[in-house]
Amino acid sequence: MTFNIAPDWKKKLNDELEKPYFKELLSFVQQEYEKADCFPHPDNIFKAFELSSFEDTRVVIIGQDPYHGYDQAHGLCFSVQPQTKVPPSLVNIFKEVQQDLGKSIPAHGNLQHWAQQGVLMLNATLTVRAGQAGSHQGKGWEKFTNAVIEKLSDEKENVVFLLWGGPAQKKGKKIDRDKHLVLNSGHPSPLAANRGYWFGNRHFSKTNAYLKEKGKVPINW
């Protein structure tokens, strides 16, 4: 089993990748994939980094676990494979995009086109056992993804960080707010959205307004 991370990210994270905890993490992940069904497919564990290079990343969305159902997760937070029914949280994301920007709701839930525009779609934990939400938490992924966020914060400027819900906001505590735009709201899950914590946040138009202000190309959400 091989773990491939995009070259420019590998260069930026080389010190982190050599740390004992990360090697132990990869060993744990390999054992898990050998003895149980796990997601996403090994080729897609680092898909977010493959589609959004360090150089091109201008927006970061932070999720939690990958989806733990079959034919869902493919390495991008909130996104599902094209043939899969759109999950409730993503339905609410699309509804907010529609209300905010007047765009039509897509027929599928694959967000690869966001990632290809420089949106790093980063889960806090990059793997999970089938049917067992949170099963790979506390094994080292969180430490690794914190290092990714800090690297972006420290070495780039004018990145937009979208932090939806309490766990994402906790992961964003060390982002330098003087250099970057950080937008917080409730999680798009039905529980939070129906209580008024999601709809109307206008994160998508706010992101594009900031990018334009900084001379960057807006995202085609």
Side-chain angles (χ1 to χ4, degrees), residues 5 9-10 12-13 16-17 21-22 46 48-49 52-54 57 60-62 120-124 126 140-156 159 161 171 175 180:
I5 188 164
W9 277 106
K10 190 172 184 178
K12 291 291 183 181
L13 297 169
E16 203 69 25
L17 301 176
Y21 90 87
F22 190 77
F46 294 106
F49 300 91
S52 183
S53 69
F54 183 88
T57 294
V60 180
I61 301 177
I62 300 175
L120 181 67
M121 309 192 65
L122 182 68
N123 276 314
L126 300 190
W141 279 130
E142 296 90 343
K143 189 173 182 178
F144 171 71
T145 50
N146 282 343
V148 171
I149 294 166
E150 288 187 39
K151 181 67 71 171
L152 287 163
S153 177
D154 291 347
E155 297 191 15
K156 291 182 71 75
V159 174
F161 291 86
K171 284 192 77 67
I175 297 168
H180 308 286

Side-chain angles (χ1 to χ4, degrees), residues 79-95:
S79 180
V80 291
Q81 298 182 44
Q83 72 276 14
T84 303
K85 182 181 178 181
V86 180
S89 292
L90 185 51
V91 169
N92 286 337
I93 289 172
F94 286 155
K95 286 180 179 178

Side-chain angles (χ1 to χ4, degrees), residues 23-40:
K23 293 181 178 180
E24 291 171 10
L25 168 63
L26 293 188
S27 177
F28 163 78
V29 170
Q30 179 157 345
Q31 291 174 28
E32 282 286 285
Y33 274 71
E34 287 172 354
K35 66 186 179 185
D37 287 343
C38 295
F39 307 121

Side-chain angles (χ1 to χ4, degrees), residues 3-6 9 40-53 73-77 79 110-112 115-116 119-122 126:
F3 300 93
N4 296 315
I5 188 164
W9 277 106
H41 186 278
D43 291 345
N44 290 332
I45 292 173
F46 294 106
K47 180 62 74 174
F49 300 91
E50 177 186 326
L51 294 179
S52 183
S53 69
H74 64 114
L76 307 177
C77 69
S79 180
N110 189 307
L111 302 179
Q112 184 167 314
Q116 289 169 330
V119 181
L120 181 67
M121 309 192 65
L122 182 68
L126 300 190

Side-chain angles (χ1 to χ4, degrees), residues 133-194:
S135 50
H136 289 182
Q137 291 179 2
K139 303 297 183 181
W141 279 130
E142 296 90 343
K143 189 173 182 178
F144 171 71
T145 50
N146 282 343
V148 171
I149 294 166
E150 288 187 39
K151 181 67 71 171
L152 287 163
S153 177
D154 291 347
E155 297 191 15
K156 291 182 71 75
E157 293 184 355
N158 305 326
V159 174
V160 183
F161 291 86
L162 303 180
L163 309 182
W164 300 336
Q169 287 163 29
K170 286 180 182 177
K171 284 192 77 67
K173 281 186 176 180
K174 293 186 178 180
I175 297 168
D176 186 342
R177 264 81 171 168
D178 293 329
K179 294 169 58 183
H180 308 286
L181 177 64
V182 178
L183 298 176
N184 296 318
S185 84
H187 194 274
S189 67
L191 184 63
N194 293 338

Side-chain angles (χ1 to χ4, degrees), residues 63-109:
Q64 297 177 34
D65 270 11
Y67 295 113
H68 54 82
Y70 287 87
D71 299 320
Q72 290 184 299
H74 64 114
L76 307 177
C77 69
F78 293 105
S79 180
V80 291
Q81 298 182 44
Q83 72 276 14
T84 303
K85 182 181 178 181
V86 180
S89 292
L90 185 51
V91 169
N92 286 337
I93 289 172
F94 286 155
K95 286 180 179 178
E96 179 59 26
V97 172
Q98 182 183 50
Q99 292 174 17
D100 189 14
L101 299 174
K103 296 179 74 72
S104 300
I105 292 179
H108 62 79

